[in-house]
Amino acid sequence: MAQLDIVRIPVLNDNYVWLVHDPESFETMVVDPAVADPVLAEADARGWPITAIWNTHWHPDHTGGNADIKAKTGCEIIAPAAERERIPTADRLVKGGDQVRLGAHVADVWDVPAHTAGHIAYHFAGDGAIFVGDTLFAMGCGRLFEGTADQMFANMQRLGTLDDATRVYCAHEYTLSNARFAVTVEPGNDALAARLAEVEAARAAGEATVPTTIGAERATNPFLRAPSAAELGRIRTLKDAA
Ligand code: ZN
Ligand code: FE
């Protein structure tokens, strides 16, 4: 099976939209299109017909391009069942345990409530890739807008079961801010200090810092490394105030 082509499209202030293409079936999907035009332009330039949109949650910076992309391409929109009312453009509703396909590539849907109540992630186990929306970020996690620290802790524990090499495609370039906070939580973590330096250099050079990997997060992400829901909640509150 040929590898998926995964292209990062930076939009708005700090959002990343992911364009995912299967070279065998030529199917192409978009994860969380905040806006339509840059996504349509990128797909056009590559000669990829957009066949689907996969949403992780209802926030406008993840679904704002749904209607225009669907109108221009006729694509199918897959979205979390628990957020059907907030994603009226959805064609197909999915929940944890369901599977979604891009050609022969299969993604398992995970329920990862906390940032929003119905947030889902898409795990391509065979491809070693997971699209996590606003659940896990490089050295950070999503804000707890509609859920609890217990829920986010459970999400982190589950993500922590994946192989180190698994690539994590998150929806924002929050890495530098996260890293600067993370070193205050774990001042003795050498891997984290080294990663902060790398990220500072990358951002100074205008480079993106995602996707990340589960291995990198296991070594440096204080939210993934938190020993308890209480500790995760404590540092999430500190980060919110930072
Ligand atoms: Zn969000
Ligand atoms: Fe977002």
Side-chain angles (χ1 to χ4, degrees):
M1 192 156 51
Q3 277 197 348
L4 295 173
D5 290 324
I6 304 178
V7 175
R8 178 182 51 237
I9 307 173
V11 301
L12 306 180
N13 279 339
D14 52 32
N15 277 80
Y16 290 132
V17 177
W18 299 101
L19 187 63
V20 185
H21 174 75
D22 170 33
E24 275 164 357
S25 66
F26 233 67
E27 288 181 24
T28 304
M29 63 88 166
V30 184
V31 181
D32 285 353
V35 292
D37 288 350
V39 177
L40 291 164
E42 183 69 42
D44 237 37
R46 291 172 182 273
W48 296 349
I50 294 175
T51 50
I53 290 169
W54 296 12
N55 292 136
T56 65
H57 66 294
W58 66 267
H59 283 162
D61 65 313
H62 298 255
T63 57
N66 277 12
D68 281 357
I69 294 172
K70 184 174 169 177
K72 296 222 165 76
T73 65
C75 71
E76 178 185 41
I77 300 181
I78 297 173
E83 300 186 353
R84 56 161 34 111
E85 263 113 58
R86 314 203 71 162
I87 310 180
T89 47
D91 297 300
R92 183 171 153 209
L93 297 161
V94 296
K95 59 182 186 318
D98 290 343
Q99 290 190 325
V100 189
R101 287 170 178 273
L102 191 74
H105 298 258
V106 179
D108 295 306
V109 178
W110 290 19
D111 284 324
V112 284
H115 178 70
T116 65
H119 201 304
I120 58 174
Y122 298 97
H123 178 223
F124 285 95
D127 299 271
I130 186 163
F131 293 86
V132 295
D134 288 355
T135 295
L136 179 68
F137 294 115
M139 293 171 277
C141 79
R143 284 181 184 248
L144 307 178
F145 286 124
E146 299 177 4
T148 64
D150 280 348
Q151 289 176 317
M152 189 58 94
F153 180 70
N155 297 339
M156 295 296 114
Q157 295 294 108
R158 186 171 184 192
L159 286 160
T161 65
L162 296 174
D163 291 346
D164 276 354
T166 304
R167 282 162 292 131
V168 179
Y169 295 86
C170 57
H172 290 274
E173 178 64 61
Y174 289 161
T175 311
L176 185 53
S177 155
N178 286 341
R180 286 179 174 154
F181 173 75
V183 295
T184 69
V185 177
E186 297 192 35
N189 183 332
D190 293 341
L192 178 50
R195 195 175 180 196
L196 169 59
E198 278 170 30
V199 165
E200 281 175 332
R203 293 307 292 154
E207 291 164 14
T209 63
V210 297
T212 178
T213 64
I214 291 293
E217 297 315 305
R218 196 176 274 130
T220 62
N221 186 322
F223 298 92
L224 192 76
R225 293 160 60 78
S228 66
E231 173 63 7
L232 185 152
R234 187 186 73 81
I235 62 176
R236 183 63 261 180
T237 302
L238 284 175
K239 177 72 169 71
D240 289 348

